[in-house]
Amino acid sequence: MKKIYDAVLCALNEMDMKFHYDEEKEVFDYQISTEYTTYSQRLVPLEDEELLVAITTFPITVPEEKRFMFCSLLNKINHSLLLGFFTMDAEDGEISFRVSCPVDDGAINKTIVFVAIGNSIRTIEKHLPDIFGAFSTLPTPHYGDETANSVAYA
């Protein structure tokens, strides 16, 4: 039985989210649009490990010449976080935020899924001024996406 999968499916459907489930990779992919920008988010239900992983990707990449300095900034931000962490792909400069929710003995419900999604977006947007303000040459993120799920988190 896939308890984590079922909880994620229930939560996304209840939120009226447009999503794609990749059966081969066993992941849920969708976009979330906030007042600031649009993010790609992936929920990975790891049944054997009893984990739900949320990976949120930014709509910008860091230019190669800025990546070393940007790693230092992400390191400082990560040091202040209690849950989750920022990463940057050294190859292409893609920035993402990851958070894992342990689900011992299959104890999961849609509320845990909502928390994983909401915590990711709230944490990212709390640190947007630092991230986007770090380098004056970073591209401005695009605002809104008509095909994305619109979500407001307080």
Side-chain angles (χ1 to χ4, degrees):
M1 181 182 246
K2 293 184 171 187
K3 289 185 177 186
I4 302 172
Y5 168 89
D6 290 341
V8 171
L9 185 61
C10 177
L12 293 178
N13 283 330
E14 187 168 310
M15 295 173 69
D16 290 326
M17 298 281 268
K18 298 175 211 159
F19 64 89
H20 168 73
Y21 180 72
D22 185 324
E23 291 186 30
E24 185 178 319
K25 295 179 182 176
E26 299 182 329
V27 299
F28 293 87
D29 288 312
Y30 53 91
Q31 292 187 320
I32 290 185
S33 188
T34 68
E35 88 176 88
Y36 301 107
T37 192
T38 299
Y39 305 96
S40 295
Q41 194 166 64
R42 172 174 280 184
L43 293 179
V44 185
L46 300 173
E47 303 287 345
D48 292 340
E49 294 85 352
E50 296 185 320
L51 282 175
L52 172 61
V53 180
I55 304 167
T56 308
T57 305
F58 281 63
I60 63 167
T61 56
V62 178
E64 189 171 356
E65 66 277 4
K66 304 279 187 182
R67 291 180 192 159
F68 183 77
M69 285 189 343
F70 204 81
C71 281
S72 177
L73 172 65
L74 292 181
N75 221 9
K76 288 177 185 176
I77 293 171
N78 283 339
H79 186 71
S80 71
L81 299 178
L82 298 176
L83 185 63
F85 60 94
F86 286 93
T87 65
M88 184 190 64
D89 186 319
E91 296 288 321
D92 64 10
E94 179 182 78
I95 304 164
S96 63
F97 180 78
R98 296 171 186 245
V99 65
S100 298
C101 298
V103 230
D104 296 334
D105 299 324
I108 184 165
N109 56 42
K110 61 187 177 190
T111 302
I112 292 172
V113 178
F114 295 153
V115 168
I117 294 169
N119 178 69
S120 296
I121 300 301
R122 277 190 299 277
T123 301
I124 290 167
E125 296 208 337
K126 175 183 176 183
H127 295 283
L128 276 182
D130 294 328
I131 291 169
F132 289 141
F135 306 103
S136 59
T137 59
L138 281 181
T140 302
H142 63 280
Y143 290 89
D145 183 336
E146 292 176 10
T147 63
N149 298 290
S150 181
V151 179
Y153 289 103

